[in-house]
Amino acid sequence: MNVTLILYESKYGTGKTIANTICPVLGPAKSFDINEAPQDIKYYSNIVFIFSLYGSNSGEKIISYIRDNQLDLSKKRVGLVCVGLNKEDGLKQIKKMKEIINKKDAFTTFIEGEMIIEKLTSEDKSQIKDFCSKIKTPFDDLGKLDYDKVLDLSKNLREYFNTPQFIPPTNITKKEIESFLKNKNTCTLATCYKNFVRTTPIEYEYYDGNIYIISEGGLKFIGLLNNNNISLCVYENYTNMNNLCGLQIGGDAELIEPRSEEYIEILSRKELKIENISKLPFDMNIIKIIPKKYEFLYSKFKQLGFDSKQIYIPK
Ligand SMILES: Cc1cc2nc3c(=O)[nH]c(=O)nc-3n(C[C@H](O)[C@H](O)[C@H](O)COP(=O)(O)O)c2cc1C
């Protein structure tokens, strides 16, 4: 299983907030304060180190943890997340950390943290006060943790950790996806607009790389008319962990012009005549979905010697 360990070194809670926010997105994952970090990391395929900037003391507990436990990170995927007020300081510290863990391909990022004067210990308060007067800056709260940036981080990290290592040739992934989609005929279509989210179970047709849905109407059009980003999934019922099959597709949706050539062609593939459809006392809408990304969790890939989750991006 692709399990993630998150370790944070945080004095005033910013790093902790980041760790606990990204944890469920990265799941299966567990987040620990570095002071309570497990010594045995064999269950974990991925490790995220989150450390906040404190001058020359930045990330010192994480560094000791790595050294004291002689962590072998060679077969792990590693994320380094630096939290602080000054990006330049952050980039320097990330470089240093990257050398310590000796992982050239580590995922690295800097996130702006925050410093709230009221929270500081008296020692830190006087240190910061001196610093502010030295650089002629008002002694005041600084920085603001941006929640959206934390969510972006969680998405980027998840994509990094989920990139399969054992990948079949693209034509095999594509073939398996196509044959699964052709075998099924019902998907769950997710649409959204502002706070309105809707999932709709609906019949589809997969044809020549696109997905077509014929619909009389409904609330999904609130999303579709305002936001062409959609997500849909097609899956088998769960039986056991060795028999997983679920396809998630992200893509763009468009409405086909009624009575256009493409509209008539789609109907005719369904053996529906435009004359009959035009006689109906209501409009028939056709949604075309152009897939941009397929994520296919399919145990068959594992049986073939690959990672069970594969990603396919159509050209
Ligand atoms: C005593 C002290 C020293 C700091 N030193 C730096 C620094 O060298 N560079 C920087 O960018 N931020 C510095 N900061 C800002 C912190 O990195 C920032 O407040 C961060 O969000 C704290 O994270 P935490 O809440 O996880 O401890 C310092 C803050 C304090 C209180």
Side-chain angles (χ1 to χ4, degrees):
M1 228 205 295
N2 194 11
V3 187
T4 299
L5 171 66
I6 304 166
L7 299 174
Y8 58 87
E9 181 173 351
S10 165
K11 190 167 178 185
Y12 291 107
T14 326
K16 181 179 177 180
T17 302
I18 295 171
N20 292 339
T21 305
I22 67 175
C23 190
V25 182
L26 298 183
K30 198 159 179 168
S31 146
F32 293 89
D33 186 310
I34 189 66
N35 297 309
E36 285 148 24
Q39 280 168 4
D40 190 353
I41 59 162
K42 69 169 179 290
Y43 303 108
Y44 300 101
S45 316
N46 318 306
I47 307 191
V48 185
F49 295 107
I50 301 176
F51 56 95
S52 306
L53 289 175
Y54 287 96
S56 58
N57 302 329
S58 309
E60 60 182 3
K61 286 188 180 165
I62 287 180
I63 295 170
S64 308
Y65 169 79
I66 293 170
R67 289 196 170 139
D68 294 351
N69 292 294
Q70 297 180 336
L71 287 198
D72 177 11
L73 299 173
S74 59
K75 293 200 178 74
K76 313 267 182 206
R77 287 196 226 205
V78 177
L80 293 175
V81 178
C82 177
V83 187
L85 297 174
N86 182 312
K87 191 168 180 180
E88 246 174 75
D89 285 357
L91 296 180
K92 273 189 213 146
Q93 191 61 32
I94 287 172
K95 191 165 173 252
K96 185 176 155 196
M97 282 291 222
K98 220 172 159 179
E99 279 160 17
I100 290 169
I101 62 167
N102 193 23
K103 287 228 44 115
K104 288 197 180 69
D105 63 342
F107 172 102
T108 62
T109 197
F110 172 81
I111 294 253
E112 183 183 90
E114 56 191 27
M115 193 185 65
I116 297 158
I117 302 291
E118 201 182 68
K119 280 192 184 175
L120 300 182
T121 61
S122 48
E123 198 186 323
D124 282 350
K125 222 181 254 176
S126 67
Q127 192 187 326
I128 298 292
K129 206 171 187 175
D130 289 350
F131 180 70
C132 287
S133 77
K134 226 182 267 168
I135 60 162
K136 298 192 173 56
T137 307
F139 176 57
D140 216 340
D141 292 351
L142 285 172
K144 180 93 191 92
L145 181 65
D146 182 340
Y147 190 64
D148 285 348
K149 292 230 165 87
V150 180
L151 295 183
D152 283 347
L153 163 70
S154 67
K155 185 169 172 280
N156 294 337
L157 267 171
R158 182 159 186 109
E159 279 174 2
Y160 176 72
F161 292 148
N162 269 15
T163 308
Q165 280 171 316
F166 301 102
I167 307 172
T170 313
N171 61 331
I172 293 189
T173 310
K174 185 175 176 217
K175 195 185 109 226
E176 293 297 342
I177 287 172
E178 287 193 327
S179 81
F180 179 60
L181 276 173
K182 282 180 186 158
N183 235 334
K184 300 291 227 181
N185 67 1
T186 308
C187 69
T188 306
L189 173 69
T191 49
C192 78
Y193 176 60
K194 293 187 178 168
N195 287 339
F196 179 78
V197 185
R198 181 86 172 166
T199 55
T200 309
I202 196 157
E203 188 195 348
Y204 70 84
E205 184 209 12
Y206 175 78
Y207 181 79
D208 198 20
N210 297 314
I211 290 165
Y212 297 90
I213 291 170
I214 301 179
S215 165
E216 292 155 16
L219 287 175
K220 59 189 161 299
F221 284 88
I222 293 178
L224 289 169
L225 293 170
N226 288 291
N227 175 0
N228 71 335
N229 294 295
I230 62 87
S231 177
L232 70 81
C233 62
V234 187
Y235 48 89
E236 298 288 5
N237 277 356
Y238 176 80
T239 51
N240 63 65
M241 289 301 281
N242 297 319
N243 195 20
L244 300 171
C245 185
L247 177 64
Q248 290 166 289
I249 301 174
D252 290 337
E254 57 184 63
L255 298 182
I256 303 289
E257 182 68 34
R259 289 169 285 283
S260 65
E261 216 175 282
E262 194 175 9
Y263 184 93
I264 295 167
E265 192 191 314
I266 297 159
L267 289 179
S268 68
R269 282 205 303 272
K270 293 274 218 191
E271 295 177 8
L272 293 168
K273 287 206 168 82
I274 183 71
E275 304 80 67
N276 296 340
I277 293 293
S278 301
K279 275 188 219 148
L280 289 172
F282 51 82
D283 287 336
M284 197 58 96
N285 306 286
I286 301 185
I287 306 159
K288 176 179 182 177
I289 287 164
I290 301 149
K292 289 203 295 201
K293 183 176 186 181
Y294 295 87
E295 292 163 72
F296 196 20
L297 175 63
Y298 192 27
S299 293
K300 185 175 169 187
F301 287 131
K302 192 155 195 182
Q303 286 143 24
L304 294 171
F306 307 112
D307 285 346
S308 50
K309 188 162 193 176
Q310 296 294 332
I311 291 163
Y312 171 60
I313 314 269
K315 287 203 186 97

